[in-house]
Amino acid sequence: MCARFVQILSLVLLSTSPALASAQDGQLPPTFTSDRPGFANTTGVAAREHLTAEMGIGAAFGDEPEGSLPNLSLRVGLFEWLEARARGPSGVGRFLSSGAVFGVSDAVLGFKAGGRLADSLAISLDWEVSLPIATDGFGSPEATFFADLNLDWSFWGPLTLTPNFVARVLADADPVTGGTVRTFEGGGSLKLTWQILEVLGIYVQSYVLKSETSDWRVAVGGGLYWMVAPNVQVDASFDAGVTVEGDPPTAGLGTTILF
């Protein structure tokens, strides 16, 4: 009976872990990548013909605290260098002085292309467009566009430096005329990651954003990620603004699963 139990358990693990199944077949396991945590996306592209699911809980601790979940992102590898991606919608709760309000955010569709330029240097480019399906006050009145460029430079052993450049078009409803006001926002981030162990890494980062209608917003923060299984990662992060118009302190907990 014990031998039968071990056999059944082995079959279950092989069916749920692509890494184990591929190793059993003598093939290279699919590459695990995650865009969590951190401000920037990573340079890694989702494993070809596999689904990578990312989700988590986010909270902002400003004058009007806000929480969101599940912050779901689905990434499917189309080629070794290209993935299709979809995010949201998520449930959002805002806790105002007048009481709590709840809504649903916009959904997002896009692509990521990436690959290695050299042994120690990788690059990716993301394009995304939002779908204006949010409830009133929780999204944009029309489709908006986002693009970012990411570089990974493994300059020494376990240390990786990641510069990021981002550009987006924002849309908001004018409170007076009711028309749509579009603004451009740009910026970037710099992240330093230390791979402490094969399954554990930590990072520190800073990001800067500037729009046509706001001053520079600068934030600093950090986080960690832990591979609890060959195809499962858990993460935690925290960021806080350091300028007058900086973003409120934010925290996140999440996971990434490769199917």
Side-chain angles (χ1 to χ4, degrees):
M1 181 176 292
C2 181
R4 180 60 176 169
F5 173 77
V6 172
Q7 182 180 16
I8 294 174
L9 180 60
S10 299
L11 290 174
V12 171
L13 287 173
L14 287 173
S15 65
T16 56
S17 172
L20 289 175
S22 297
Q24 184 75 11
D25 294 338
Q27 302 175 355
L28 291 175
T31 302
F32 181 95
T33 68
S34 176
D35 283 333
R36 295 186 57 97
F39 175 84
N41 288 305
T42 61
T43 56
V45 175
R48 183 177 180 179
E49 299 178 357
H50 285 268
L51 170 66
T52 297
E54 304 168 359
M55 66 196 80
I57 300 173
F61 305 98
D63 295 334
E64 298 178 346
E66 179 178 299
S68 63
L69 58 85
N71 299 312
L72 179 65
S73 174
L74 301 176
R75 304 165 52 213
V76 178
L78 304 178
F79 302 100
E80 299 297 333
W81 54 274
L82 181 68
E83 70 173 50
R85 48 203 288 132
R87 293 191 289 111
S90 289
V92 181
R94 293 175 181 161
F95 303 92
L96 314 178
S97 56
S98 57
V101 293
F102 299 92
V104 176
S105 66
D106 290 329
V108 176
L109 299 177
F111 293 92
K112 178 201 279 190
R116 290 210 162 271
L117 301 176
D119 289 343
S120 60
L121 186 65
I123 188 172
S124 72
L125 181 61
D126 301 80
W127 306 269
E128 295 181 348
V129 57
S130 69
L131 306 180
I133 63 173
T135 51
D136 290 342
F138 288 85
S140 298
E142 65 179 23
T144 59
F145 301 91
F146 166 91
D148 76 340
L149 175 68
N150 309 283
L151 295 171
D152 273 342
W153 177 33
S154 301
F155 64 95
W156 180 76
L159 298 180
T160 299
L161 195 64
T162 305
N164 155 266
F165 306 93
V166 59
R168 66 184 68 172
V169 176
L170 306 176
D172 290 297
D174 189 303
V176 178
T177 64
T180 300
V181 178
R182 302 174 190 85
T183 57
F184 174 82
E185 182 178 75
S189 68
L190 187 64
K191 179 171 68 173
L192 176 65
T193 303
W194 177 23
Q195 194 71 36
I196 301 176
L197 302 171
E198 186 177 354
V199 296
L200 178 65
I202 62 174
Y203 73 90
V204 292
Q205 71 174 7
S206 177
Y207 66 83
V208 179
L209 293 171
K210 173 77 168 66
S211 76
E212 298 176 85
T213 58
S214 71
D215 291 331
W216 292 99
R217 292 151 44 210
V218 182
V220 296
L224 60 86
Y225 54 90
W226 176 31
M227 297 294 298
V228 297
N231 60 321
V232 180
Q233 171 188 287
V234 296
D235 63 74
S237 62
F238 180 82
D239 297 285
V242 295
T243 54
V244 174
E245 289 198 14
D247 296 334
T250 58
L253 294 171
T255 185
T256 302
I257 304 173
L258 169 63
F259 293 95

